[in-house]
Amino acid sequence: MANRARDTRPDAVRLIAASSVPNLVQWVNLYVYAGFAPYFRTAFFDPADENSLIWVYAVFAVTFVMRPVGSWIFGRIADRRGRRPALIGAVGLMAACSLVLAVCPSQAQIGGWAAVALVLIGVVQGIATGGEYGTAAVALTEAATSNRRGFFASFQSATIVGGLVVAQVMLLVTLAVGGSAGASTWGWRGAFAVAGLAALPVIWGALRTRSAAPRPVASAQRGSMRVLLTQHWRALVWVMLLTAGGTAAFYTLTVSVPQEIRETMRTARGDVGELQATVAVIVALVVLMILQPVGGALSDRVGRRPLLVFFGVAGIVVAPLLLWGANVLTDVAAITTMLVIAAVVVTGYLSVNGVAKAERFPPEVRALGVGFGYAIANSLFGGTAPLLLHASRRTGHEPWFAVYLCALIAVTLAAALAARGKTDRT
C-alpha cells in the first residue's frame, strides 16, 4: 500500500497525529448533536409534540443520507489534491455547523423555520462527516509501517469513540450543574459552541504544519467515480455489506442504548439515576476507546477477518440482550458490565473496519472508495438506527428492531467470511 521505504520514517507518527486530532474534533461535533438531542428537541419542535425526539433523530438520519455526497466531494479532493486539504475542509464545515446551531433561534422565536434551519444544518453536517471518514481512514492506513497497519489505522476508530467520550463528559457536566432543565436551555447551546470553537486551533495547526504524506500525482484516474464503479465495484459492494451490521450496532450501542438507559434510570431514580447512567456510559466508552489500538494490533498478527467474524457471531448473541437490559436494568454495576461486554464485541468490527476497507482499493480511488461505500451503508443502516429503535419502542415493536439488528450483523458476518486474508496493496 504505502511505499515500504516509509516503514522507518518518523513522519508516519506525525501524520497519525495530524489525521487523528481533526478526526477527534469532527466526531465531538457530531456526537454533541446525538448526545444532547433529547434536550434540545423542544427548541426546534413543538414542546407538546410527543414525537419531537423522533423528528430530531430523523434529522440526525438526514445527516447520514448526505454522507455519500460528502464522500464524493471530499474523496475526489483527497485522491487528487491530498489527504490534508480534504480533512481541513471537512472539519471546518462541521465546526461552522456547530457554531450556527449554538446561536440558532428557537421554535418559540421563529416558529417552523427553526425546524427548517435544523434540517439544513443537518444536510451540511452530513456532507462534512461523509468527507472526513474516508479521508482519515486512508491517511492513517497509508501512514502505517507495513506490519503495523491495523494498529496505526485503529487510531481513527479510537478518536471516533474519543469524540463520543468528550460529548458524554460535556453532557455529564451539564447535568451535574443544571440538571435536565439546564441541559434543555443553555446546556446544549454551550456544548455546540465549545465543540465548534475547538476546531479552530486544529485547523490553524493543520494549515501551518507541513504534511508528511506525499502529494498525489496528477492523473485522470484519481478520484474518478467512473473508475470506482466500473473497475472496483466488487470491492465497493463488499465495503457496503461489511458496514451494514457494524454501523447499525455501533450507533445502537453509542447513541440509542445510552438514551434508553438514561430514561430507565431517570424513571427509577430521578436526576441522580440519570447522572449514574451517564457515568456508566462514559466508563464503557472509555473502555471501547482503549480497546481500539488493541484490536488493531491484534489484527496485524492474525488478520482482519478473525476479528470481524468474532463481531458477527458474538454480536448476534449480545445485541438482543443489550436492548433488553437497557429497558430493565437499574443497577449501575450491571449496566456498566453490560455496556463493557458490548464494547468488546463492537471492537471486533470497529478497530479493523477502516483498514480492511482501505486495503481493498488502489491509491488512486482509495479515499473515494472507502468513503463512498461506507457512506452509502451508513446512511441506510447507521443513521437510521436511533430513529428506528425509538420509533419501535414508542409503538411497542422493539423486539422487531432486535431482529432487524441481528439480521444486519449477519450480513456483516457473511461479508467477513467471504473476505480474503490480510492484503498488502501498494
Side-chain angles (χ1 to χ4, degrees):
M1 180 179 293
N3 189 312
R4 293 186 182 274
R6 299 177 60 201
D7 286 359
T8 58
R9 287 178 58 181
D11 279 349
V13 176
R14 182 159 56 86
L15 185 55
I16 289 174
S19 301
S20 296
V21 175
N23 193 54
L24 173 64
V25 170
Q26 183 85 334
W27 292 95
V28 168
N29 279 266
L30 181 68
Y31 288 126
V32 163
Y33 183 106
F36 281 82
Y39 304 98
F40 67 71
R41 56 181 173 173
T42 55
F44 293 93
F45 299 96
D46 186 350
D49 187 351
E50 295 182 352
N51 293 319
S52 58
L53 185 57
I54 293 179
W55 306 139
V56 170
Y57 280 141
V59 175
F60 188 62
V62 167
T63 69
F64 287 78
V65 172
M66 296 307 299
R67 288 191 184 191
V69 177
S71 68
W72 174 65
I73 295 172
F74 288 99
R76 285 175 61 87
I77 294 173
D79 285 329
R80 294 191 173 194
R81 296 183 178 273
R83 315 310 187 198
R84 187 180 62 165
L87 276 173
I88 293 172
V91 172
L93 198 59
M94 176 65 85
C97 290
S98 291
L99 294 174
V100 172
L101 275 173
V103 299
C104 187
S106 68
Q107 185 267 347
Q109 296 169 306
I110 59 175
W113 288 107
V116 173
L118 186 65
V119 172
L120 292 176
I121 292 169
V123 168
V124 180
Q125 280 185 320
I127 293 173
T129 308
E132 193 275 343
Y133 173 86
T135 304
V138 167
L140 285 165
T141 301
E142 291 175 342
T145 56
S146 59
N147 62 340
R148 304 192 71 191
R149 193 172 295 143
F151 174 72
F152 279 35
S154 68
F155 282 93
Q156 185 202 24
S157 55
T159 48
I160 288 175
V161 181
L164 272 164
V165 172
V166 173
Q168 288 292 322
V169 168
M170 293 170 72
L171 177 58
L172 177 64
V173 171
T174 302
L175 292 173
V177 173
S180 296
S184 300
T185 51
W186 54 265
W188 65 270
R189 291 188 183 276
F192 277 121
V194 170
L197 292 173
L200 299 181
V202 172
I203 295 171
W204 175 250
L207 288 171
R208 290 176 58 87
T209 302
R210 183 180 62 85
S211 174
R215 184 175 181 83
V217 178
S219 169
Q221 301 293 307
R222 285 196 170 273
S224 169
M225 183 65 75
R226 181 185 62 80
V227 171
L228 177 66
L229 295 178
T230 58
Q231 299 181 22
H232 306 286
W233 64 269
R234 289 183 180 84
L236 184 65
V237 170
W238 183 82
V239 166
M240 290 188 285
L241 294 176
L242 186 74
T243 303
T247 187
F250 176 74
Y251 281 101
T252 298
L253 171 63
T254 59
V255 176
S256 303
V257 166
Q259 173 56 24
E260 292 208 353
I261 291 174
R262 276 193 290 267
E263 289 183 7
T264 301
M265 291 291 283
R266 184 168 58 241
T267 300
R269 302 182 182 179
D271 287 346
V272 172
E274 189 173 19
L275 279 173
Q276 291 175 329
T278 304
V279 171
V281 169
I282 291 173
V283 170
L285 290 176
V286 169
V287 172
L288 181 61
M289 179 177 64
I290 294 172
L291 285 175
Q292 298 315 295
V294 176
L298 180 60
S299 77
D300 287 328
R301 291 181 174 271
V302 303
R304 324 302 178 204
R305 182 162 49 182
L307 275 75
L308 293 168
V309 171
F310 162 74
F311 161 75
V313 174
I316 292 172
V317 175
V318 170
L321 298 176
L322 177 67
L323 294 170
W324 169 81
N327 289 317
V328 301
L329 295 180
T330 56
D331 179 77
V332 177
I335 291 171
T336 304
T337 301
M338 176 187 71
L339 291 173
V340 168
I341 291 173
V344 172
V345 173
V346 169
T347 295
Y349 166 81
L350 189 62
S351 63
V352 300
N353 83 99
V355 65
K357 295 167 187 174
E359 288 174 333
R360 283 281 175 151
F361 298 97
E364 61 267 19
V365 293
R366 186 170 291 146
L368 180 61
V370 172
F372 189 72
Y374 163 83
I376 291 291
N378 209 23
S379 64
L380 293 174
F381 308 112
T384 57
L387 171 65
L388 292 176
L389 177 54
H390 189 73
S392 67
R393 187 183 185 192
R394 284 192 57 81
T395 58
H397 295 94
E398 190 166 356
W400 285 108
F401 179 83
V403 174
Y404 166 76
L405 178 58
C406 288
L408 290 179
I409 294 174
V411 171
T412 294
L413 174 60
L417 290 171
R420 299 186 301 268
K422 290 195 296 183
T423 58
D424 190 27
R425 284 189 180 272
T426 57

